[in-house]
Structures are given as C-alpha cells and as structure tokens.
Amino acid sequence: DQQVKQNSPSLSVQEGRISILNCDYTNSMFDYFLWYKKYPAEGPTFLISISSIKDKNEDGRFTVFLNKSAKHLSLHIVPSQPGDSAVYFCAASVNFNKFYFGSGTKLNVKP
Amino acid sequence: DTGVSQDPRHKITKRGQNVTFRCDPISEHNRLYWYRQTLGQGPEFLTYFQNEAQLEKSRLLSDRFSAERPKGSFSTLEIQRTEQGDSAMYLCASSSPTVLGREKLFFGSGTQLSVL
C-alpha cells in the first residue's frame, strides 16, 4: 500500500533557480511529514519537517509547504546549488510511529 | 550525538547462507527502526522497537527475518536462508519522539547486502 507517492522520478534545474519537489499522500491520519536527502551509498539525511498544524516551514534555502485538503506537500529549494543534486524522499507518520517513505525524486542541479 | 552506526557496510553472501547485521543507535534514543531499500525505491519499513520491545513488524517480512534489541541499546537483524531477492540496502534509524528535535529519524549509512 503506497501511502506516500512521489510521482516525478527526476527533476533537472539550473543553478540559482528554484527546485520544487512534490509529494502526495493518501492517509488523512498522517500528522508529521519530513524530507530527506540521500547520496549514493549513504543513509538518508534529514532536511526539514512539518507538523500537520502548520502549512509552511522554512529553514534557510529550504521551505516545505503542506496542503492538507489536497493531501499534498512540496519542498522548495531556492536558490538551487549543484551540491543539492541528490535523491529526495518525503516521509509521513502518524504520531511519530513508523514512517512511510515515497519512492524518491532525483534532483540534478546543473551549473 | 555520535550518529547511528551500522556494521558491516557491505556483505556478500551465497544464497542459502544466514547473515546478521548490527545497528548501534544514537545513545538515549529509545526508538530503533529497520528499513530496506532497493534501487529506485524509497526505504521500506521492516520493523521497529521502543526500548527492547518490538512494537511492529511489517507483514512483508517473512519468517526468515528476525530482529532483536536485547537491552534496548544495539539491535541485530538476521536473515536466514538468504535469497537473491534479499539483496538490498538495509538501513537502521533511531529517534526519540518525546524529545523536541529528536522525533525525526536519524539514519545510519546502511548495510549493502548482495546475495549471489
């Protein structure tokens, strides 16, 4: 049961522009969402999170938006840098129990 | 926080052999998770512990898989009679959901298993 979906397997953007990564979920009970970044042969590293009581959270160049009615969240990276090139996963949980992950979006930021 | 440590980083084994992986979570994290990731997919939940208690095990996990966390600190994941379909990256993560800032998952670097 794919409760978290990332429908874009890849995204390519120019350095300095905005990267927008999208994620959809089906379980309306999810109340905590996270974004992770992963390089090859490494474990995922935490980027940013958002609770369902908020609709936006910012941390430097990274902003996560949550639209509960649409069951959709997005990660904005502005400005994009070549070092941001990685696979990005969104994840969701109910009350910090097990986390469900999407299949990932591979971001390529071109210099 | 010294980070989540997994051992070994790589394991190559022949079909039918048993393998065991170890995970040392961040100290004082009471939750420990095991995930599996294959190429092109996101991490797939296997099981998780709160202290030494195994709270949930994925229905996808066959009885060839077993995990323990005997003293609520490190954990082991054993796969018996390995099959080629077990080839994957096995990821361990820990968290401490009652502590602000520690409710997110902190992942180790994973163990890459190849079953020949």
Side-chain angles (χ1 to χ4, degrees), chain A residues 11-61:
Chain A
L11 175 68
S12 186
V13 299
Q14 203 67 39
E15 180 180 6
R17 305 294 290 270
I18 184 172
S19 295
I20 300 176
L21 296 98
N22 294 303
C23 179
D24 296 292
Y25 60 95
T26 57
N27 188 345
S28 58
M29 298 297 292
F30 286 146
D31 56 7
Y32 186 59
F33 304 87
L34 311 93
W35 283 94
Y36 280 83
K37 175 180 180 180
K38 187 179 185 301
Y39 294 114
E42 293 183 12
T45 54
F46 171 78
L47 269 179
I48 192 168
S49 63
I50 188 166
S51 164
S52 60
I53 62 172
K54 295 184 174 182
D55 54 16
K56 178 182 175 181
N57 189 27
E58 282 183 87
D59 184 1
R61 298 186 296 114

Side-chain angles (χ1 to χ4, degrees), chain A residues 12 18 46 50 54 69 73-75 79 84 94 98 108 110:
Chain A
S12 186
I18 184 172
F46 171 78
I50 188 166
K54 295 184 174 182
S69 61
L73 67 157
S74 60
L75 174 69
D84 296 328
V94 177
K98 69 181 182 184
N108 179 35
K110 297 177 287 187

